[in-house]
Coordinates of all heavy atoms in Angstrom, one line a residue:
Chain A
V293 N 9.1 28.3 0.5 CA 8.1 28.7 -0.5 C 7.6 30.1 -0.2 O 7.0 30.3 0.8 CB 6.9 27.7 -0.5 CG1 5.8 28.2 -1.4 CG2 7.4 26.3 -0.9
G294 N 7.9 31.0 -1.1 CA 7.4 32.3 -1.0 C 8.0 33.0 0.3 O 9.1 32.7 0.7
E295 N 7.2 33.9 0.9 CA 7.7 34.6 2.0 C 7.5 33.9 3.3 O 8.0 34.2 4.3 CB 7.0 36.0 2.1 CG 7.4 37.0 0.9 CD 6.2 37.3 0.1 OE1 5.1 37.5 0.7 OE2 6.3 37.3 -1.1
K296 N 6.6 32.9 3.3 CA 6.2 32.3 4.5 C 7.3 31.3 5.1 O 7.2 30.8 6.1 CB 4.9 31.5 4.4 CG 3.7 32.4 4.3 CD 2.5 31.6 4.1 CE 1.5 32.3 3.2 NZ 0.6 31.4 2.4
G297 N 8.4 31.2 4.3 CA 9.5 30.3 4.7 C 9.2 28.8 4.6 O 8.4 28.4 3.7
Q298 N 9.8 28.0 5.4 CA 9.7 26.6 5.3 C 8.2 26.1 5.5 O 7.6 26.4 6.5 CB 10.6 25.9 6.4 CG 10.7 24.5 6.3 CD 12.0 24.1 5.7 OE1 12.7 24.9 5.0 NE2 12.4 22.8 5.9
A299 N 7.7 25.3 4.6 CA 6.4 24.8 4.8 C 6.3 23.3 4.3 O 6.8 23.1 3.2 CB 5.4 25.6 4.1
G300 N 5.8 22.4 5.1 CA 5.6 21.0 4.6 C 4.5 21.1 3.6 O 3.4 21.6 3.8
L301 N 4.8 20.5 2.4 CA 3.8 20.6 1.3 C 2.8 19.5 1.3 O 1.7 19.6 0.7 CB 4.5 20.7 0.0 CG 5.5 21.9 -0.2 CD1 6.0 22.0 -1.6 CD2 4.7 23.2 0.1
I302 N 3.3 18.3 1.8 CA 2.4 17.2 1.8 C 2.4 16.5 3.2 O 3.3 16.7 4.0 CB 2.8 16.1 0.7 CG1 4.2 15.6 1.0 CG2 2.6 16.6 -0.7 CD1 4.6 14.3 0.2
T303 N 1.4 15.7 3.4 CA 1.3 14.9 4.7 C 2.3 13.8 4.6 O 3.0 13.6 3.5 CB -0.1 14.3 4.9 OG1 -0.5 13.6 3.7 CG2 -1.1 15.4 5.2
Y304 N 2.4 13.0 5.6 CA 3.4 12.0 5.7 C 3.4 10.9 4.6 O 2.3 10.5 4.2 CB 3.3 11.2 7.1 CG 4.5 10.4 7.4 CD1 5.7 11.0 7.5 CD2 4.4 9.1 7.7 CE1 6.8 10.3 7.8 CE2 5.5 8.3 8.0 CZ 6.7 8.9 8.0 OH 7.8 8.2 8.3
M305 N 4.5 10.6 4.0 CA 4.5 9.8 2.8 C 4.6 8.3 3.0 O 4.6 7.5 2.1 CB 5.6 10.2 1.8 CG 7.0 10.0 2.4 SD 7.5 11.4 3.4 CE 8.6 10.6 4.6
R306 N 4.7 7.8 4.3 CA 4.7 6.4 4.5 C 3.4 6.0 5.2 O 3.4 6.1 6.5 CB 6.0 5.9 5.3 CG 7.2 6.0 4.4 CD 8.4 5.4 5.2 NE 9.0 6.5 6.0 CZ 10.0 7.3 5.6 NH1 10.6 7.1 4.4 NH2 10.5 8.2 6.4
T307 N 2.4 5.6 4.5 CA 1.1 5.4 5.1 C 0.4 4.3 4.4 O 0.6 4.1 3.2 CB 0.3 6.7 5.1 OG1 -1.0 6.4 5.7 CG2 0.1 7.2 3.7
D308 N -0.5 3.6 5.1 CA -1.3 2.6 4.4 C -2.7 3.0 4.4 O -3.6 2.2 4.0 CB -1.1 1.2 5.0 CG -1.3 1.2 6.5 OD1 -2.0 2.1 7.0 OD2 -0.8 0.3 7.2
S309 N -3.0 4.2 4.8 CA -4.4 4.7 4.9 C -4.8 5.6 3.7 O -4.1 6.6 3.5 CB -4.7 5.3 6.2 OG -6.0 5.9 6.2
P310 N -5.9 5.4 3.0 CA -6.4 6.3 2.0 C -7.3 7.4 2.6 O -8.0 8.1 1.9 CB -7.1 5.4 1.1 CG -7.7 4.3 1.9 CD -6.7 4.2 3.1
R311 N -7.4 7.5 3.9 CA -8.4 8.4 4.6 C -7.8 9.8 4.8 O -6.7 9.9 5.2 CB -8.7 7.8 6.0 CG -10.1 8.1 6.5 CD -10.2 7.5 7.9 NE -9.0 7.8 8.7 CZ -8.8 9.0 9.3 NH1 -9.7 10.0 9.2 NH2 -7.6 9.2 10.0
A312 N -8.5 10.8 4.4 CA -8.1 12.2 4.6 C -8.8 12.7 5.8 O -9.9 12.3 6.1 CB -8.3 13.0 3.3
S313 N -8.2 13.7 6.5 CA -8.8 14.2 7.7 C -10.0 15.1 7.3 O -10.1 15.6 6.1 CB -7.8 15.1 8.4 OG -7.6 16.3 7.7
A314 N -10.9 15.3 8.2 CA -12.2 16.0 7.9 C -11.9 17.4 7.4 O -12.5 17.8 6.4 CB -13.1 16.0 9.1
P315 N -11.0 18.2 8.0 CA -10.8 19.5 7.5 C -10.2 19.5 6.1 O -10.5 20.4 5.3 CB -9.7 20.1 8.5 CG -9.5 19.1 9.5 CD -10.3 17.9 9.3
A316 N -9.4 18.5 5.8 CA -8.8 18.4 4.4 C -9.9 18.1 3.4 O -9.9 18.7 2.3 CB -7.7 17.3 4.4
I317 N -10.8 17.3 3.8 CA -11.9 17.0 2.9 C -12.8 18.2 2.6 O -13.1 18.6 1.5 CB -12.8 15.8 3.4 CG1 -12.0 14.5 3.4 CG2 -14.1 15.7 2.6 CD1 -12.6 13.3 4.0
D318 N -13.1 18.9 3.7 CA -13.9 20.2 3.6 C -13.2 21.2 2.7 O -13.8 21.8 1.8 CB -14.0 20.8 5.0 CG -15.0 20.0 5.9 OD1 -15.7 19.1 5.3 OD2 -15.0 20.3 7.1
E319 N -11.9 21.3 2.9 CA -11.1 22.3 2.0 C -11.2 21.9 0.6 O -11.4 22.7 -0.3 CB -9.6 22.3 2.5 CG -8.9 23.5 2.0 CD -7.4 23.4 2.2 OE1 -6.9 22.3 2.6 OE2 -6.7 24.3 1.9
A320 N -11.0 20.6 0.3 CA -11.1 20.1 -1.1 C -12.5 20.4 -1.7 O -12.6 20.8 -2.8 CB -10.7 18.6 -1.1
R321 N -13.5 20.1 -0.9 CA -14.9 20.3 -1.4 C -15.1 21.8 -1.7 O -15.8 22.1 -2.8 CB -15.9 19.7 -0.4 CG -15.9 18.2 -0.4 CD -16.8 17.7 0.7 NE -18.2 18.1 0.5 CZ -19.1 17.6 -0.3 NH1 -18.7 16.5 -1.1 NH2 -20.3 18.0 -0.4
E322 N -14.7 22.6 -0.9 CA -14.8 24.1 -1.1 C -14.1 24.5 -2.4 O -14.7 25.2 -3.2 CB -14.3 24.9 0.0 CG -15.2 25.1 1.2 CD -14.5 25.6 2.4 OE1 -13.6 26.5 2.2 OE2 -14.9 25.2 3.5
Y323 N -12.9 23.9 -2.6 CA -12.1 24.3 -3.8 C -12.8 23.8 -5.0 O -12.9 24.5 -6.0 CB -10.7 23.6 -3.6 CG -9.8 24.1 -4.7 CD1 -8.9 25.2 -4.5 CD2 -9.7 23.5 -6.0 CE1 -8.1 25.7 -5.4 CE2 -8.9 24.0 -6.9 CZ -8.0 25.1 -6.7 OH -7.2 25.5 -7.6
V324 N -13.4 22.6 -5.0 CA -14.1 22.0 -6.1 C -15.3 22.9 -6.5 O -15.5 23.2 -7.6 CB -14.6 20.5 -5.8 CG1 -15.5 20.1 -6.9 CG2 -13.4 19.6 -5.7
A325 N -16.1 23.2 -5.5 CA -17.3 24.0 -5.7 C -16.9 25.4 -6.3 O -17.6 25.9 -7.3 CB -18.0 24.3 -4.4
K326 N -15.9 26.0 -5.8 CA -15.5 27.3 -6.3 C -14.9 27.2 -7.7 O -15.2 28.0 -8.6 CB -14.4 27.9 -5.3 CG -14.5 29.4 -5.2 CD -13.6 29.9 -4.1 CE -12.2 30.1 -4.7 NZ -11.1 30.3 -3.6
R327 N -14.0 26.3 -8.0 CA -13.3 26.3 -9.2 C -14.1 25.6 -10.3 O -14.1 26.0 -11.5 CB -12.0 25.6 -9.1 CG -11.2 25.5 -10.4 CD -9.8 25.4 -10.3 NE -9.2 24.8 -11.5 CZ -8.0 24.3 -11.5 NH1 -7.2 24.4 -10.5 NH2 -7.5 23.8 -12.7
Y328 N -14.8 24.5 -10.0 CA -15.5 23.7 -11.0 C -17.0 23.9 -11.0 O -17.7 23.5 -12.0 CB -15.1 22.2 -10.9 CG -13.7 21.9 -11.1 CD1 -12.8 21.8 -10.1 CD2 -13.2 21.8 -12.4 CE1 -11.4 21.6 -10.3 CE2 -11.8 21.6 -12.7 CZ -11.0 21.5 -11.6 OH -9.7 21.2 -11.8
G329 N -17.6 24.3 -9.9 CA -19.0 24.5 -9.8 C -19.7 23.4 -9.2 O -19.1 22.3 -9.0

Side-chain angles (χ1 to χ4, degrees):
Chain A
V293 173
E295 294 117 41
K296 285 178 216 152
Q298 187 104 340
L301 300 184
I302 60 168
T303 53
Y304 196 56
M305 64 276 150
R306 287 183 276 266
T307 177
D308 53 22
S309 171
R311 207 183 48 80
S313 72
I317 291 174
D318 290 345
E319 198 195 5
R321 287 175 59 83
E322 275 168 36
Y323 190 94
V324 170
K326 213 174 82 193
R327 174 157 160 193
Y328 295 97

